[in-house]
Amino acid sequence: MEPRIVNRPEMTVAGISTRTTNAQEATGDGLIPKLWGAYYQRKSSSEGTHGQEPSVTYGVYTDYENKADGWYTMLIGEEAGRGQEADQDSTIITIPSATYAVFTSKQGPVASVVPETWQQVWEWDEQHGKRAFTGDFERYDERSADPMNAIVEIYVAIKE
């Protein structure tokens, strides 16, 4: 699968975050599924949505220690408005403007299609070696409203 290539401006995302590694996530005791649970629990108990696009959720990967082999920060949240400040339980991350390779998942259960699509990203990068590791993200829009029948886009920053 060849991704489509797009340019995107800088984007700021506010949400909750954790530090993890791909090795930790592969153990079956990863932090990312727990982070998603905490995000949805928090979202269901808050009043309204505050993002620029209330129906869009982002899963952001940034602060890579050693490309795909080291620690990275994972943040789940919504695009923040200009000048928005984090509350005490939130983190704000700014993703720099970049050129992205965009991979679109098959339609199906999020728990299956997202890891399958990341596998395609890793295979593509092994062949092309273009990942920049400056900030990548998953974009969950109206096509992923039903988590059992979702389509998700993964944006991977690439070197030009």
Side-chain angles (χ1 to χ4, degrees), residues 22-43:
N22 287 335
Q24 181 172 355
E25 295 306 311
T27 67
D29 191 31
L31 300 176
I32 293 175
K34 295 171 188 163
L35 189 65
W36 277 106
Y39 172 77
Y40 282 113
Q41 182 177 21
R42 176 180 163 167
K43 189 171 181 172

Side-chain angles (χ1 to χ4, degrees), residues 100-135:
Y100 291 91
V102 182
F103 297 80
T104 303
S105 75
K106 296 184 300 186
Q107 189 167 5
V110 168
S112 298
V113 299
V114 171
E116 288 170 8
T117 307
W118 272 109
Q119 186 63 43
Q120 292 171 0
V121 169
W122 295 326
E123 290 169 6
W124 179 83
D125 190 49
E126 282 180 20
Q127 294 175 10
H128 299 90
K130 289 187 162 188
R131 284 192 67 192
F133 294 94
T134 55

Side-chain angles (χ1 to χ4, degrees), residues 53-115:
E53 296 178 274
S55 64
V56 178
T57 299
Y58 292 93
V60 179
Y61 300 83
T62 190
D63 301 326
Y64 290 97
E65 175 189 66
N66 185 25
K67 300 185 178 179
D69 297 324
W71 291 91
Y72 57 86
T73 298
M74 166 54 158
L75 176 137
I76 301 169
E78 299 170 352
E79 187 173 1
R82 289 193 183 273
Q84 182 176 334
E85 294 184 17
D87 61 33
Q88 69 184 34
D89 298 325
S90 293
T91 302
I92 291 183
I93 290 177
T94 299
I95 305 165
S97 63
T99 300
Y100 291 91
V102 182
F103 297 80
T104 303
S105 75
K106 296 184 300 186
Q107 189 167 5
V110 168
S112 298
V113 299
V114 171

